[in-house]
Amino acid sequence: MTHDELRAALPPYAAGELEEEPAAEVRAHLAAGCEDCLASLFRLPVGRPRDRGQRRLPRPGWLAPATAALLAIALAVLVAWTIRDLARREAEQRAESERAEARLVAAAGDRPRLEAELAASEARVASLLRSIHRRDADIDRLLGGAPERTLADLAAMPGFRVSGLEGRSGGGARGHLLWHPAQVAALLYAFGLPRGRPYRIELQLDDGRIASGPAFEVGADGDAVVPIRLPVVGARIRGTTVVRDPGGQTVLGARLGGG
């Protein structure tokens, strides 16, 4: 029988009306695990075979042969599927165990190399921290000392630069900014600033932000010397201005142009 013929024989098989020879073919087909036919069969009403000539009620406790065969086939298919699923899961777990074991073996082999790389990284970090501490100490020394000492320290560095500050509001104010592209300390000299109100330094960074520098007041002659701790290295400073507080009127300005 073809698959279509077997599928067409399912309703009489479930009703118990199929002859023994075609019924045996249907059972063999279902036992082979045809999911399509099994699903169709479970949706059909199950009957019992008709006795030729007359109908007799089955004895209590007995299943109709078609019903018993159907249950046996379903149980066999379920057991087969369960065994296959368990076998698949066991194979997956075995493969995962083998992969984990391989990773552990590889990690154990790489341990000396990893320890050497870690030691080298720790040495580089320690060296970097020492450099940072030295730089911070130099900056604190520059900013905490006298302006003359700050100027001398800056001027002694290769690449030391001086940028002129031009007056922006008239009155003859002028100045200089002494800085270094690799340092975060600078020194501002201002001359001829009007007295009476405090001033504030603003720094233009290379990313467009404006950073506030220190506030200061001028002396009786309108001059001022202001050490500046830059928020970034000098190479990232694009300009500096001196503004009056309150109001923010710019009185001096310079464009550094970076390093």
Side-chain angles (χ1 to χ4, degrees), residues 9-189:
L10 291 178
Y13 175 78
E17 299 175 351
L18 200 62
E19 297 295 333
E20 180 56 32
E21 185 175 350
E25 291 192 41
V26 172
R27 283 195 294 273
H29 179 65
L30 295 174
C34 179
E35 299 180 7
D36 219 12
C37 291
L38 282 170
S40 299
L41 185 62
F42 280 115
R43 290 195 293 267
L44 295 172
V46 177
R48 57 185 178 83
R50 291 183 298 179
D51 195 10
R52 291 186 180 86
Q54 61 178 356
R55 293 178 178 271
R56 291 181 297 179
L57 293 175
R59 289 176 295 170
W62 286 79
L63 292 173
T67 304
L70 177 61
L71 292 177
I73 292 171
L75 181 60
V77 172
L78 178 62
V79 170
W81 285 347
T82 302
I83 293 174
R84 185 171 58 187
D85 185 60
L86 289 175
R88 178 182 58 80
R89 293 185 183 182
E90 182 181 2
E92 291 177 352
Q93 290 177 356
R94 186 183 300 110
E96 180 60 30
S97 298
E98 292 174 354
R99 288 193 293 269
E101 183 178 358
R103 288 195 295 269
L104 288 175
V105 171
D110 285 346
R111 183 171 180 176
R113 178 181 60 81
L114 295 175
E115 289 178 347
E117 291 180 357
L118 177 60
S121 298
E122 290 176 346
R124 287 194 295 270
V125 170
S127 176
L128 179 61
L129 288 175
R130 288 193 297 270
S131 298
I132 292 174
H133 292 327
R134 285 195 300 269
R135 190 196 67 176
D136 288 344
D138 290 341
I139 293 170
D140 291 338
R141 179 172 51 81
L142 283 172
L143 297 180
E148 294 79 6
R149 182 59 190 167
T150 303
L151 173 59
D153 288 335
L154 282 171
M157 298 178 184
F160 164 75
R161 302 186 183 187
V162 178
S163 298
L165 294 170
E166 299 177 357
R168 299 289 178 85
S169 59
R174 65 192 187 283
H176 301 286
L177 182 71
L178 295 86
W179 61 285
H180 191 283
Q183 299 297 318
V184 290
L187 189 64
L188 174 76
Y189 279 84

Side-chain angles (χ1 to χ4, degrees), residues 200-235:
R200 177 169 42 86
I201 298 173
E202 290 185 346
L203 303 164
Q204 292 82 44
L205 307 185
D206 59 355
D207 59 4
R209 291 183 295 128
I210 303 295
S212 292
F216 65 95
E217 294 183 355
V218 299
D221 54 0
D223 298 345
V225 181
V226 186
I228 307 171
R229 188 184 184 105
L230 305 176
V232 294
V233 296

